[in-house]
């Protein structure tokens, strides 16, 4: 399978920043660089991947806090999330201070919408708008690789919190049940925190989806 993934936990929130790449072209993307740039740059160097873009699943500081600095270091564009998270990305510096972190505001080069495609090397991911955890959360699906990146929408055994600004629990459950789970039980997903799982495993055992 040409899709490769390296997980790089970053920030005090142990957020799963990931480097994903196409093994045939060795071109890839950094997903959710929340911070700890030296660790991310180290992983890029270790793998030898040519990073062509930075991708954001949503606007929370643990996912987006390092994006502007990484963009400057690598000279690549930022794609995502959906524009409904703009209000968070504009205020990242203030949010970070509250957590004793450092971050700069982020102005994505491309906002994503439902039905868009995200290219990484020769791989193509479908973009799904999955509001609820944040209004602008997006998920990336490769049906060909049976692989999804869902940010903080769904976790192994849990779902995203909805007590943060403009969170909406009913919308979150709809996003999961109406958009993600119908894609098929066999799809493995990488989430923003904790271990990977599959949509089938969560459909059967996740207590929040009963
Ligand atoms: Zn989040
Ligand atoms: Zn998070």
């Amino acid at each position: 399978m040409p899709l490769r993934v390296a997980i790089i936990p970053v920030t005090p929130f142990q957020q799963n920043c990931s480097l994903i790449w196409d093994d045939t072209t060795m071109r890839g993307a950094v997903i959710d660089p929340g911070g700890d740039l030296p660790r991310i740059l180290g992983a890029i160097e270790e793998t030898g991947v040519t990073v062509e873009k930075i991708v954001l699943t949503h606007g929370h500081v643990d996912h987006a806090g390092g994006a502007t600095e990484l963009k400057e270091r690598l000279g690549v564009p930022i794609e995502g999330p959906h524009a409904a998270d703009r209000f968070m990305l504009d205020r990242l510096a203030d949010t970070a201070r509250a957590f004793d972190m450092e971050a700069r505001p982020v102005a994505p080069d491309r906002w994503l919408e439902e039905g868009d495609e995200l290219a990484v090397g020769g791989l193509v991911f479908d973009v799904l708008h999955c509001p609820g955890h944040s209004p602008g959360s997006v998920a990336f699906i490769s049906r060909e690789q049976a692989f999804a990146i869902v940010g903080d929408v769904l976790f192994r055994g849990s779902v995203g919190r909805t007590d943060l600004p403009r969170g909406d629990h009913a919308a979150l459950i709809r996003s999961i049940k109406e958009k993600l789970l119908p894609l098929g039980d066999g799809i493995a997903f990488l989430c923003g925190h904790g271990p990977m799982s599959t949509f089938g495993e969560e459909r059967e055992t996740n207590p929040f989806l009963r």
Side-chain angles (χ1 to χ4, degrees), residues 8-23:
I8 311 148
V10 295
T11 79
F13 298 93
Q14 288 292 294
Q15 194 273 118
N16 288 331
C17 171
S18 62
L19 176 61
I20 66 167
W21 70 98
D22 172 356
D23 204 35

Side-chain angles (χ1 to χ4, degrees), residues 24-46:
T24 53
T25 63
M26 288 305 283
R27 299 184 71 83
V30 175
I31 317 283
D32 287 354
D36 296 332
L37 257 60
R39 304 185 61 190
I40 299 172
L41 293 166
I44 294 169
E45 198 181 312
E46 213 171 285

Side-chain angles (χ1 to χ4, degrees), residues 99-179:
F99 294 108
D100 234 358
M101 293 166 60
E102 268 183 49
R104 286 162 55 190
V106 175
D109 297 278
R110 179 190 178 204
W111 296 106
L112 296 174
E113 288 180 25
E114 177 90 8
D116 280 348
E117 290 187 339
L118 176 84
V120 178
L123 304 166
V124 179
F125 292 80
D126 293 325
V127 175
L128 294 180
H129 181 208
C130 295
H133 170 66
S134 75
S137 286
V138 290
F140 305 100
I141 319 293
S142 167
R143 290 165 211 256
E144 209 177 38
Q145 307 287 320
F147 183 77
I149 297 164
V150 304
D152 288 353
V153 173
L154 176 65
F155 300 109
R156 181 175 176 185
S158 187
V159 297
R161 57 189 286 189
T162 51
D163 57 333
L164 296 166
R166 303 190 203 173
D168 180 336
H169 186 73
L172 177 74
I173 298 301
R174 273 199 308 277
S175 290
I176 296 169
K177 288 189 171 175
E178 294 174 12
K179 294 192 178 180

Side-chain angles (χ1 to χ4, degrees), residues 25-66:
T25 63
M26 288 305 283
R27 299 184 71 83
V30 175
I31 317 283
D32 287 354
D36 296 332
L37 257 60
R39 304 185 61 190
I40 299 172
L41 293 166
I44 294 169
E45 198 181 312
E46 213 171 285
T47 54
V49 171
T50 301
V51 172
E52 55 185 18
K53 62 185 67 173
I54 294 163
V55 178
L56 300 178
T57 61
H58 65 295
H60 285 153
V61 66
D62 52 328
H63 296 254

